[in-house]
Amino acid sequence: MVEGYNGLLTATVFLPAVGALVLLLVVKGDRNVRNFAVLIALADLVLSLLVFGFFDRGAGADRFQFVDRITWIPDVGLNAEFLLTVDGLSAPLVALTGLLGMCAVLASWRIGLRVKEYFIWLLVLQTAVMGVFTSMDLLLFFLFWELELIPMFMLISVWGSGRKEYSAMKFLIFTILGSAFMLVAIVAVFLTADIGTFNMVALLDEPTMLTSAGLLIPLSGLFWLFFVGFAIKLPTWPVHTWLPDAHTDAPTAASVMLAGVLLKMGGYGLLRINVGMFPSQTDRFAWALVTLGVISVLYGAVVTIRQTDLKRLIAFSSISHMGLVLVGIGSVGISQGTLTVTGLNGAAMQLFTHGTVTGLLFLAVGLVYDKTHTRYIPDLGGLAGRMPVVAVAMLIAGLASLGLPGLSGFVSELLVFLGAFQAYAWPTVLAVLGIVLAAGYILWMMERTFFGVRRPQFDDLTDASLVEAAPLVLMVVTIIGVGVWPTLLTDVFESGLNPMVDVLNGVINP
Amino acid sequence: MVTEAVIWAIFLLPLGSFAFAALVVRPFFNRFSLISGLVTIAALGTALGFSIWTLRSVILGHELVFEPIEWLEVGGATIDFGLLIDPLTAVMLIVVTGVSLLVQIYSLGYMKGDPSFSRYYAYMSLFTAAMLGLVLASNIIQLYMFWELVGVSSYLLIGFWHERPTAAAAAKKAFIITRIGDVGFLIAILYLFTQADNFAAVGLNAFHIPDIWEAAQPEAAAGAILGGAVLTWLALGIFAGAAGKSGQFPLHTWLPDAMEGPTPVSALIHAATMVAAGVFLVARFFPVFEHSPDAMTVVALVGAFTAVFAASMGLVMNDIKRVMAYSTVSQLGYMMAALGLGLYAPAIFHLVTHAAFKALLFLGAGSVNHATGTFDMRYMGGLRKVMPITYILVVVAGLSLVGIIPLAGFWSKDEILLGAWTGTGLVDTWVSRVTFSALLAGVIVTAFYTIRMIILTFHGEFRGGIVRELEEKAQTVPARESHHGGVHLAESPWVMVLPMVALGVTAVLLGYLANPQWTEEIGIPRHWIIGFLGDGLSAALGASGHAETLDFSRWMATISTVAALSGIGLAVLIYLRRRDQRADPLSKVKPVHTLLSEKYYMDTLYEDVMVRKGFFKYFAGILDWTDANLVDGIVDRIGWFFQNIGSAIGKLQSGHVQGYATGIAFGVLAIILALLLA
Amino acid sequence: MSFEAFMIVAAILFCIGLYGSLARRNVLAVLMSIELMFNAVNVTLVAMAKYLAPAALQDDISSVLTGQVFAVFIITVAAAEIALGLGIVFAMYRTHDSVDLSEATGLRH
Amino acid sequence: MLFQDVTFWILSVMAIGGALGVVMVPDLFRAALLLIVVFIAVAGFFILLSAEFLAVVQVLIYVGAIAILIIFAVMLTRDVQRGNLPNRLQLPAAVFAALLLAALVTVAVDTKWEFLPADQQARVDLVQTNSVTTLTGGVLTEQGVTSDEDQAEVQEAGLADLLISDYVLPFEAVSVLLLAALIGALVLVRPSSGTGRD
Amino acid sequence: MSVHDFYVLSPYLAMAGAAVFVILLDLVLPKKSLLPYFAFAALAGPFIMSLIQFYDLGGATNLLRGADPFTAEDPSILLSAISVDRFALFFNFLIIGSVALVVLASTDYVRNMERFQGEYFGLILFAATGMMLLAAATELITIYVSLELTTLPMAALTAFLLTRNSSEAGMKFLIIGAISSALMLYGMALVFGFTGSTQLSEISTAIGQASGDTPFGNYALFVGIILMIAGFGFKLSAAPFQMWVPDVYEGGPTPVVGFLSVASKAAAFAVVIRVLFTGFFDVALDWGILIAGIAAASMVIGNLVAISQSNIRRLFGYSTISHAGYILVGVAAGVKSGDGIFKAPEFAAIGPDSVLFYLAAYAAANLTAFLAITMISAKISSDEISDYAGLSTRNPVLAVVLALSLLALIGVPPTGIFIAKLYIFTAAVDSGLIWLAILGVINSAVSAYYYVRIIRVMFTHPATSDEKISGSPAPWLALGVAGAAMVFMGIAPGFVMEAAQEAVKALAI
């Protein structure tokens, strides 16, 4: 039973928020603010690793663990609960959030403008994202989902660069629009006569209950309403256009969080809600998901090749890589045989690995920008000689991004392809071409940025300092760790996804 | 008998030296970077010892089957890491560790003083580890992983001098082109996974290589799983990967550019081992290929065509390393063609001998460069006198390449030619004939460019080396390997010469000793390596039919020798006595020369036409424009539209109160009307 | 002199009032027009009280006076409204130096 | 009945003509005078409709108070010279007014009104006409209301009674309203001394 | 009138009395600056009486004696005019609360009005009396009088400043109000004529018997109801009766505008709900469509025009129009077509309670915003959004609170309006108005654009002046209370929601 109050997740989710409050009220002085923020981020990282580490992945373990459950809005029309819990799908993402939160704080060491405010927003953001990954009540989920907007908006529009206000606004409007659709769907689910709950655990346990009579919106409608919300966040072609702008103009830490965890919220939502709650529709529309996924992969990759701004390049590559999540989910559309968890696990893994990889890329680019004050690729070149640490980090991230074995990206891409190929062979082949293109733009970027003849004005560049290098190392270790020992993650993901696959198999082979 | 731990150690030792060099020496003790070289050499030496031990165990017929380690298990996909020890593996282990060891020793001298000495050894160790992992892999995904790792180490090493734009570009090109081939390989893997259920039904694992062999056997229990067109596509997918790595037409263009890397790298990776990985891959899946005549035909014809095609470009190159690069491509074509014809063991035999003499040739080129500072043969000449050891060794290696009896190359090439002529029955006869003709023609061309190279480099008068080259070209770009800087005409240091000598000895002896033709020599049975490899294959399949050896044919030997000698003669005739070696007489046949020196315009086609113009400028450009103006533009337009609609409605707000009242009246009437009509 | 006749005359009066309140510039004219509308409503209400059966007719005969009561209230409120209206008109006159509504368009868009 | 019909038509012409005058006549002062004509005509309507008390109230409040106030206002504001000009909204205003008229006439004609039963008409007239007096039993008997119960009922019915019983609340409220409006008007005509800001 | 009747009327009498008290006090009080506090204290009367009535009500629906037809008691004479039930009391509290905050917030604002402070507060309290009555009224005449009792003092207050803008705004408010009243009166007359009564309960009975092909059964009702809705629409500031709103918002005194946007609107919704749900329920399907259309128009027009506004108060004028639209969604969603053969209208599962909750949440959020704007504009003497630049440095707390209230108005959790919107859109989906719900959420998203723009200016643009912005304790207190209520309703909406649900039970008689 999903009952009780463990407290660990509450602590994990709200620690950054409490930290932000303390920061606001108590801490004075930029130096103290930084140190305190790091402390909080570190503590939260530890907590999130505890969640991940103590998550029981044994065969007989409960599906949902670390339950924190109390009534939030009593049964007066909207009986919502404060229900935090993790399953195999969310536990790694919680860890990812802790990890990237830590990196984001460290990457913000050089922020000089309105320091306290900055770290407050950053910590609030972390709470929001943690909340999204752990709340199992649709209303609470939505609450956190929306909560994340504000800090990100502020981070972009105050501490960003370029057309920061336009970008921040675009980010905001797109996301709000998406969540608006989601809200309608949430409400409609809740209102369905024999459902009457926001409890996602209940909705996941018996997904077939959604096939029962009395739906206000047809199942397919609900599916697509949710899908739009998540697709915008993911982002999927053609609703991706907020991403390059937001990424490009955001400060480094915000880019890291944006690419590293915020996009993952979209993928997580797709897996948790679209796949978990609407198995029949996922099966029915798998072709559409794959189509969108493949378009995103190829379109994103081709457009990436044209980019001359480092951050914009990575942003477009994110579109391409997140397309793989859709392709992985498309594995549900197998026409014969038994669905295995491979593709879905690949999609989930892709969430994690892309989080680390893109996080690292943005960290490295942030350093490059910090030191050279440009992100325009034709203005750069030959930086490897002056900043080898950054170059190595960038190279490792880039190689992981193009799916090099031994690094995390490979595992997720392989699983996605293995899964999807069984359902849609030719689209998958097209998606595979995406990795060739990935090699193209990553290596082109490396060549033009870090290799080749160094411009004289970059002769005095310094390499990353210890504080700057710390997040890089943290990420590199994660990337290699996952790449070498993926079972660490896949097992956990599998324990979360297997129940869904069982349900899906019931739908596919009735 | 060799233990599992020892075999793992072969792989782990270089990996350890990589970790040591990369994580310890490079960041913390870069001043003592020599340590990393010594550690690497020690590790490789041990690995070589273990490899020999392994080979011995295999020869003695020990049962070397080990339980794999589960790496990843998701859904139906169980990916194991295991060791697949068979004669092919054992031979490859020796080749890789052996050549690698010699090259590392050589590099001590060649790379001396390079600021990135540790990095160099780290990369080299990484490469060796990856290559060994590839060779040892028992699981196709494991193999694919190391396959990619090998690719990335190659990328890193080609781009080792990353300050040089040409090096960085060449590295990128190498990686991307091989990756295009890898897509085929990956798709083959994906296809295998779709059959996982069928494999599992008969207790097999779709990723386990011996299980794949079994599934491909028509007579085997699992015969229904892979067969017919499926098998062909599977084989072609794998071959695509192999073609990328081994530089087979049309994916060969990266290999000559890869010569931008340090010369020892070229020797190890782009001559002896990695490029041969493609051959190894096809050989590894030979039990799959051999049941698809169509796939075999493709492999044979592509190999044969590549053999001649690449060799023809070698005729006109001025850069000594590029000549060798095309030569490598050409020789890889020989091996591929052999495999395509079903000549499994000869192909591997040629791989082995080629590794020895081609590595030696490259090391020789490095040695020459050490003295002259350049790779451009137009600025060499006359080195025979100043570096006699190098000269002798290069001549030996060159003749071995040409296939002059009794050097190593002769014996392996002879096996291939003979086999091609005889045919194996796995492909149509016409394929064998076409292949044979191409390979024979290739011999003539090979002989010509080899001798041309030797003459231009070592004979005649010295033409000034790098100093002159720089003057003439007045180029601002730093010349390659500029740290060797000036010209100091002398024999290379012993640390470079000794490995060359070792390879030279091998290049002389290996051919006959490994495969004695007539009698058992010093304990080595007749046709030992052919039998050894063939038996290994048969044993793996639980069947026979791969161990048959062809007796030495005088006719064939004569024909090939005549062909080789005619090539040599022609080259000697044209080049040996010329005064001015800087203008190539071949350039008089202008159209042909241009075509060849422009590499059949394939780079132009790929890079300028297809990639830069077609893909980048037009396709990606249009898509990028679309994204910015249509997809994103629509979003902005919508925003603009709403804002303007808003302003337009706002304009009704004239400030005129009766206008507002009129609005109310209008509203009332509109509602009445709307409800009446509704 | 039917009920409909009263209704129609009242409606005409109402609509003339509406026209006047929309189309006159002078704020006092507008106020006068509004009074016309109120008067029209009053006529309607009283006519209804006279001719139409009230719902509570059977229970309470005094329900036939409801229309008149309504009219009384309307007259009273109208008086209050005019009083306040004139106050605002004076305020506007002081600030705008005019009682022309077409000139009081400082707040717009 | 003829007299009443004729009166009705005369009053109608007065009311409509006066009303048109109010909204058309350029001279604001004359418009105000015409407004009084309309008010008086409406008072006439009230008498026709058996609402004599209302007629009195109409004359007292509208003519006596409101119209006079307006006339004062007209004279106090200098715009009186500029007159009662139409604005640019004439045409739409006329169109909308006409359309609304059509709707209202349709309502008046097409609705199935529930008319008083004929037998009740006399009693209702009695009650309405005498809404502010208490009729004696004799008068009632004269008018045909004979039974004691009916007499009592009619006697109890009266505007004043209603205003302090059923409608006591709006009655109180309207008194508050008058107070508030007066205070409001008072405040608005206070000497402006830079009291506030925008 | 019996003692009981006085008791029933006590909150209203107390409120009106408070108004008179304040005005009289103004004449004698030497220290004018204390006046707001007296006005605030005077609110205790209506508040306490409402509270007593609330507890007195217990489980009954109506406090009035004789409301239950089965009791033989002497029925109250007020029965025909008002119904003091939970619905009315809900609005009593809402209105008293808003008045209290507005009074507190006005302490700084009225300082330079010297002699007329008493009248200022008096008029506010008079208007509040009207609003409270409006929420309780069940009879057309009472409704009309109460409506005017709110409108006329508000008009006076709008013109109170006697500046060019203020008087113009007051004049506009008055004229539009009067024309609307006239239209509404004609509508009431038609309804009265057709049904023969002005009491909602009797109107309801009469309508139940009528039937016909035209909308609402017949022409009199058809035009009558539409004209009435037009009149109410003016108070609701719903499209197409909304055009006066931005001008009045721009011209009127800021606290008054805040009051107007919150309390006046709440009262208008109260009466609309009361009339539609108790009087016209039998034709609910017809007005349901009509209200839905008005809701859609209000949301779209309000939001779209708001995008291009540069004056913050004007922007809030459009914002309030859009919120009227959202709230009307809840009204339209209150009914749904029944399952029977005749498709008779039925109460939806969630109906007017969502409206009540929204009103409470909106009151909290919008008052927070207006109180903040009052404090800011008192200092920077401008309502241009561009002059809000750098507010975050000039007074961070104020900036954060204003930002929070703006986010609340978008409907971002965890604020009351999020729950309220959720509630309302839930209701809409439940009643089959999915298109309206989707339109509503899209509009919410669009609205983010202009609200966030203000936040952006406050936080990201550099300040034009270093001068700090400060306020006296009373406005701060008001701001704090309103802000806390705003957040409280988002985090723990249960309390208000239950109250709203209890309140609307009074309607379903």
Side-chain angles (χ1 to χ4, degrees), chain B residues 649 652 658-675, chain C residues 18 22, chain D residues 89 91-100, chain E residues 176 179 183 226-227 230 238-243 290 294 297 301:
Chain B
I649 299 175
L652 288 176
Q658 284 152 313
Y660 304 173
T662 312
I664 292 180
F666 169 77
V668 168
L669 289 166
I671 290 170
I672 291 177
L673 208 62
L675 283 183
Chain C
L18 180 65
L22 296 183
Chain D
L89 286 166
L91 189 65
V95 170
F96 286 150
L99 285 174
L100 187 66
Chain E
I176 298 290
I179 293 175
L183 289 171
I226 288 172
L227 289 176
F241 319 111
Q242 91 296 357
M243 293 174 81
L290 172 56
I294 293 178
I301 290 179

Side-chain angles (χ1 to χ4, degrees), chain B residues 661, chain C residues 18 21-22 30 34 37, chain E residues 174-184:
Chain C
L18 180 65
S21 61
L22 296 183
V30 171
I34 291 170
M37 294 163 81
Chain E
L174 183 89
I175 287 181
I176 298 290
I179 293 175
S180 302
S181 297
L183 289 171
M184 182 186 70

